[in-house]
Amino acid sequence: MNKLPVKTSLLALALLGLGACSDSDNLPPPPPEPPTPPVVMKSFEVTVTNLTANQPMSPLALISHNDDIKLWQISESASVALEQLAEGGDSTGFDTISGVDALVRGAGILPPGMSETLMLTLAENKVDALSLLTMLVNTNDAFSGFNAMDIESMENGASNSLRLMAYDAGTEANSEAKGSIPGPADGGEGFNAARDDVNRVHVHPGVISQDDGLADSVLHTSHRFDNPVLKVTITRTE
């Protein structure tokens, strides 16, 4: 059998390699990656006014969460997070609840007659429901707020106004006794894990006070409240 010279074989292989490189160089470039869609943000402005005569409100807690959860239910037992807020004004228990996306807190106590505005900005895919909570601190376990408001469909510039009543967490008896109220009327105990009331959330019946005949009460006529106790305006600003 005739054999090609070694030099001729090497040259043929080199030419084949150059041909292959030339073919790959002529392939069209891959299509560019599609641009990442911009994240759409929604912003909300929530203004809260304390309508009471002498019931300071604990630092406001504005909470964004999934629309399949509620932070309280009338006639149902309060969660520990709600008990901590309603007895001591502490909203930190809501930070760890599954389904909560964001929590914005007020700057401090909201005095009677005063207003505070909170701002909340969320990615559009995180906007489901909004809740607000605060304690009437010259009480044993009264709180106010709104629960799981649907904000997903609010148009930019839309506004919604509410007047809110006071609720009783049902976790601490409304004794009004010395040492049992955390507000300035007493400066007593806040949260206590023991429950000695009806253990269900209900509309608050109001305070009685020592001026009304409850001798052991540390409260006075000025601490009484009628519903509504809060005025709230929610506006979508973005």
Side-chain angles (χ1 to χ4, degrees):
M1 177 184 291
N2 294 328
K3 294 184 179 180
L4 293 172
V6 173
K7 289 184 178 179
T8 304
S9 300
L10 291 174
L11 178 61
L13 288 172
L15 290 173
L16 284 173
L18 286 174
C21 290
S22 176
D23 288 343
S24 77
D25 288 344
N26 291 331
L27 291 175
E33 293 289 329
T36 302
V39 177
V40 178
M41 306 301 290
K42 287 186 176 182
S43 295
F44 299 88
E45 182 179 277
V46 180
T47 300
V48 183
T49 302
N50 183 344
L51 300 177
T52 70
N54 197 8
Q55 283 289 341
M57 302 291 168
S58 68
L60 303 170
L62 182 64
I63 305 169
S64 167
H65 55 88
N66 295 347
D67 57 7
D68 59 352
I69 65 172
K70 291 185 181 295
L71 302 185
W72 80 88
Q73 289 272 40
I74 294 291
S75 296
E76 292 190 7
S77 178
S79 66
V80 173
L82 179 61
E83 181 184 10
Q84 291 170 337
L85 180 130
E87 293 182 10
D90 179 9
S91 62
T92 56
F94 293 100
D95 288 329
T96 57
I97 290 181
S98 177
V100 168
D101 296 319
L103 197 160
V104 177
R105 293 183 174 87
I109 292 291
L110 180 62
M114 301 301 289
S115 299
E116 184 176 5
T117 298
L118 303 179
M119 303 293 296
L120 177 67
T121 298
L122 298 164
E124 186 175 40
N125 62 352
K126 291 290 186 181
V127 177
D128 288 316
L130 196 64
S131 294
L132 176 78
L133 285 158
T134 184
M135 177 194 182
L136 285 68
V137 297
N138 282 331
T139 67
N140 289 98
D141 62 343
F143 71 97
S144 187
F146 60 79
N147 192 15
M149 175 184 290
D150 177 14
I151 56 171
E152 191 172 9
S153 59
M154 281 186 74
E155 298 291 336
N156 193 12
S159 194
N160 191 5
S161 291
L162 308 169
R163 289 181 180 263
L164 306 176
M165 65 176 59
Y167 299 93
D168 191 318
T171 57
E172 182 176 310
N174 297 330
S175 66
E176 304 174 19
K178 183 174 179 58
S180 70
I181 291 176
D186 180 31
E189 179 184 61
F191 169 66
N192 186 321
R195 298 193 177 192
D196 60 356
D197 201 5
V198 296
N199 201 25
R200 58 180 174 80
V201 177
H202 56 280
V203 175
H204 202 286
V207 300
I208 299 176
S209 90
Q210 59 182 264
D211 299 326
D212 303 310
L214 185 57
D216 292 335
S217 175
V218 296
L219 303 181
H220 296 279
T221 302
S222 67
H223 299 115
R224 288 192 231 164
F225 53 86
D226 294 319
N227 286 314
V229 295
L230 295 179
K231 178 185 176 182
V232 179
T233 302
I234 306 103
T235 303
R236 182 181 166 193
T237 56
E238 179 185 359

